[in-house]
Amino acid sequence: MIKKALLMDGKQFAKNKQIRAKRPSEYWLLFLKHHVISVKESWFHFYYLVLLIPVIIFLFIIFTEIGLQYIVPIIIGSFVLSLSVFSYFNIYRNNAYVPVSAYNELAKFIISIKGDVYRNLIGLRINAGVIESKKNAIYPKRLGLKYINGVKYKPFEIERFKANFTLKDGSVCVVSMHQIVLRVITTKRRSSGKTKTKMKRKHKFFYQLTLKLKKSDYKIISPNALLHLPGNDKLFEVVIKNDEDFCWVKIKTKKKLYKAESQMKYLSKIDDSIFTQMMKHLINNKIIENRGASQFIKKLN
């Protein structure tokens, strides 16, 4: 039954790069392992074909014996053309960069929390699609970017995953990760009069954990006391909201893309999940204190 469901969901995910469902924790771990984390990027890209341009031109010259006296400038021109086409595809193609290590964070958290989830069911949605598309574009002003002559900003945002956990003590835990890609295109005019354009991308990942807690089961620090908490770690930003019966505790952090992706993957396997680190931050700083109902909180102490 599980294998059949994994196969069907896997085919749908491979086609649409999205899934939204409520499944047992073990199922999601298998799905992440087989269809998300271990999926390798294809070695072939369409724009690699531009590298064949010089070869095709060279073979055309040899077999047709046309323009042999111009063979050197023709070959040089073909290489320049291929590099120009390659640069175009590399700059303007839709970049679907998906941070695999971020899904490792989700998988590790599921492992740590699955024994405390009510009926062992987790609601999860994943989006591993292309981020640089019109539907994901956002205004530069939203990121606080100001106009600079010769610089063009193109930011994109996407929610990569969001998981809902209802714990056995009645608490609700929601974890999510948003990705923002900022494409920066810089145009400069040289003293010679020629114009040079450069493009680079900046990736940021925003992790968030939200807890809905019963006031009868937890003691939560007041919002005012939170602002003056001594030694509060600047790595995490915490926001607290209250009503009569419940308290919402939101904690978030952000990470930039590491250049050493292999090192990040290794560290992400041996460290606690970023979401577990968030929970420990709340507990160690006594932002939330258990009154005895939650076994999950006890395990993190």
Side-chain angles (χ1 to χ4, degrees), residues 59-123:
L59 292 176
F60 177 78
I61 292 174
I62 291 178
F63 287 104
T64 59
E65 296 184 356
I66 296 176
L68 289 177
Q69 66 273 28
Y70 303 110
I71 188 169
V72 174
I74 289 176
I75 291 177
I76 294 175
S78 67
F79 273 106
V80 172
L81 176 62
S82 64
L83 287 174
S84 300
V85 176
F86 180 85
S87 298
Y88 174 84
F89 277 105
N90 190 46
I91 292 175
Y92 294 103
R93 69 188 177 92
N94 284 333
N95 191 321
Y97 179 83
V98 180
V100 175
S101 298
Y103 294 114
N104 278 330
E105 301 292 346
L106 175 61
K108 288 187 298 183
F109 188 66
I110 291 176
I111 292 172
S112 67
I113 201 175
K114 65 177 184 175
D116 303 280
V117 177
Y118 180 67
R119 292 185 178 179
N120 197 31
L121 290 175
I122 299 172

Side-chain angles (χ1 to χ4, degrees), residues 32-33 35-41 96-108 128 160-161 177 179 205 207 257 261 264-265 268-269:
L32 289 168
K33 178 181 179 181
H35 300 297
V36 183
I37 296 175
S38 61
V39 176
K40 295 182 178 179
E41 186 181 2
Y97 179 83
V98 180
V100 175
S101 298
Y103 294 114
N104 278 330
E105 301 292 346
L106 175 61
K108 288 187 298 183
R160 285 302 184 189
F161 63 78
M177 195 281 282
Q179 179 185 1
F205 312 134
Y207 296 87
L257 173 64
E261 178 70 13
M264 182 169 68
K265 289 180 180 178
S268 68
K269 291 179 180 179

Side-chain angles (χ1 to χ4, degrees), residues 16-48:
N16 301 325
K17 298 299 182 183
Q18 295 185 41
I19 188 171
R20 182 174 185 173
K22 198 169 188 178
R23 302 278 192 268
S25 58
E26 291 82 4
Y27 179 90
W28 285 125
L29 290 172
L30 288 172
F31 184 87
L32 289 168
K33 178 181 179 181
H34 293 292
H35 300 297
V36 183
I37 296 175
S38 61
V39 176
K40 295 182 178 179
E41 186 181 2
S42 174
W43 63 271
F44 178 79
H45 293 282
F46 175 76
Y47 57 86
Y48 287 171

